Amino acid sequence: MEKVVIIGSGCAGLTAALYAARANLKPLVVTGRQPGGLLTTTSVVENFPGFPEGVDGYELMVRMQKQAERFGARVQFGVVESVDLSKQPFRLSVDGETVETETLIIASGAGHKHLELDSELKLENKGVTYCATCDGALPMFRSQPLVVVGGGDSACEEAMYLTRFGSVVYLVHRRDSLRASKIMVERTLAHTKIHPVWDSVVTEVLDVAKGKVTGVKVKNLKTGAEKVIECAGVFVAIGHRPNTALFKGVIDMDDHGYIVPRKGAATNVPGVFVAGDCSDRVYRQAVTAAGLGCAAAIEAERFLAARNE
Ligand code: NAP
């Protein structure tokens, strides 16, 4: 029987693990499909306090895991397939094995949003990708025109990163201004290799028949005009959706699937706490996720202490 199980190994999950471990609760962290979470797919993180020169996202997560393990956290590679939170102890199915626990911290993060185009789905990994740092250096993208879709910090970051490899980077955005932070907007728009395509949406990724990306069809939302931009890669960076399907109908969430805590990190199920991007549609920063992970662990610790009084 576990005292604390943490679902997710991003900033929220690993910070919760650090705090729970230091409270001597020997937490079990179930990593999910992407150990280290979304931050492992970014390049340099410039806004995590304590790293004046910035820190590589992957390295930051490796360090967080080591720090939590140093105090007794156990990190298990695995995927939670189902949960039974109807009674104590909670029961989780992790890769076919049952795990019982007194408390649960949901830090399952968020995944990439898709454009929901049939052609996008068919060409995924054949030129359509959701992560420039993972795929940008592939030979198929070298010295080729590339397209990034989106107007937030992620899209700007992806576009900047891809300037190292592509001959030109088209930034296709559905509005006429970027919603990214000021510093990112300035850097992005000042880059000579980045060409914004304003007020436009991708309506089709070409060419499904050839089994690879050769371009995108874009439509200008103001004029209705359509054109084809030739490119070898499409990098979709239009935001994220929370990984919360497992808890639907059991844990309170909003219409977009973000978990809504009752009070602090506590959910509607006593003993179940939440932290990070799966419950945060406002800030969604590494440092806020870490802070929320800390809060969830402290609350789990207090919950256990109150039960054993
Ligand atoms: P985001 O801020 O939600 O931006 C998503 C962008 O995609 C928006 O510009 C949105 O357009 C566009 N979009 C959404 N759905 C679309 C669709 N179906 N078709 C076309 N365009 C669509 O997401 P994000 O950029 O991933 O950032 C998420 C959070 O992480 C933010 O809080 C951001 O600050 C943070 N972040 C920070 C850093 C950093 O500090 N270095 C890096 C990455 C992310 P509209 O503008 O029209 O809504």
Side-chain angles (χ1 to χ4, degrees):
M1 162 80 81
E2 303 290 342
K3 287 190 185 313
V4 182
V5 169
I6 298 163
I7 302 180
S9 54
C11 272
L14 290 177
T15 307
L18 171 64
Y19 274 75
R22 283 176 54 84
N24 226 5
L25 296 171
K26 299 190 170 40
L28 175 68
V29 180
V30 184
T31 59
R33 286 197 181 83
Q34 191 167 41
L38 275 184
L39 215 62
T40 57
T41 66
T42 43
S43 47
V44 179
V45 181
E46 288 182 336
N47 49 13
F48 200 86
F51 298 92
E53 315 303 332
V55 57
D56 178 76
Y58 179 80
E59 188 195 335
L60 180 64
M61 299 320 298
V62 169
R63 281 168 170 261
M64 276 194 202
Q65 179 172 334
K66 279 190 185 153
Q67 194 175 355
E69 285 173 334
R70 184 178 147 216
F71 296 102
R74 290 157 301 138
V75 179
Q76 176 184 327
F77 179 76
V79 175
V80 178
E81 290 146 345
S82 62
V83 293
D84 178 359
L85 308 178
S86 60
K87 56 182 184 302
Q88 279 278 355
F90 303 133
R91 288 163 69 88
L92 318 181
S93 171
V94 183
D95 293 333
E97 302 280 319
T98 299
V99 176
E100 292 188 333
T101 182
E102 288 182 71
T103 66
L104 178 67
I105 295 176
I106 303 170
S108 49
H112 298 287
K113 247 174 85 176
H114 291 206
L115 292 167
E116 310 294 349
L117 298 171
D118 196 37
S119 52
E120 170 197 19
L121 187 71
K122 290 192 170 130
L123 292 171
E124 192 169 335
N125 298 325
K126 293 172 182 158
V128 173
T129 143
Y130 301 85
C131 176
T133 37
C134 316
D135 303 325
L138 291 174
M140 66 198 280
F141 300 132
R142 298 248 173 185
S143 305
Q144 298 293 323
L146 303 172
V147 163
V148 173
V149 188
D153 278 315
S154 299
C156 290
E157 210 171 72
E158 302 265 290
M160 288 294 292
Y161 186 77
L162 290 170
T163 57
R164 302 181 197 183
F165 310 107
S167 55
V168 51
V169 179
Y170 296 99
L171 182 59
V172 178
H173 183 36
R174 63 186 179 184
R175 294 193 292 145
D176 61 3
S177 62
L178 300 168
R179 73 154 64 218
S181 50
K182 204 161 177 288
I183 188 167
M184 287 301 286
V185 172
E186 281 170 10
R187 272 186 211 166
T188 306
L189 297 182
H191 203 291
T192 52
K193 268 194 180 179
I194 297 176
H195 297 244
V197 182
W198 301 118
D199 300 313
S200 298
V201 290
V202 172
T203 54
E204 190 182 343
V205 185
L206 306 169
D207 185 328
V208 172
K210 289 189 179 144
K212 66 172 186 175
V213 170
T214 60
V216 286
K217 259 191 201 164
V218 294
K219 183 179 179 180
N220 185 300
L221 293 173
K222 283 194 176 152
T223 64
E226 289 185 298
K227 65 176 178 180
V228 170
I229 300 174
E230 287 183 9
C231 64
V234 180
F235 293 77
V236 180
I238 58 169
H240 303 97
R241 63 161 55 98
N243 296 324
T244 54
L246 211 52
F247 311 102
K248 209 168 174 193
V250 180
I251 299 290
D252 289 348
M253 49 184 84
D254 68 14
D255 292 346
H256 297 275
Y258 288 90
I259 291 176
V260 180
R262 277 270 160 101
K263 183 170 177 280
T267 68
N268 55 306
V269 176
V272 179
F273 304 90
V274 67
D277 283 7
C278 63
S279 69
D280 172 18
R281 55 177 310 179
V282 180
Y283 305 109
R284 297 176 295 182
Q285 303 297 307
V287 69
T288 45
L292 292 164
C294 156
I298 290 175
E299 292 199 25
E301 183 192 350
R302 289 181 183 162
F303 176 87
L304 288 167
R307 280 183 97 199
N308 297 329
E309 263 172 13

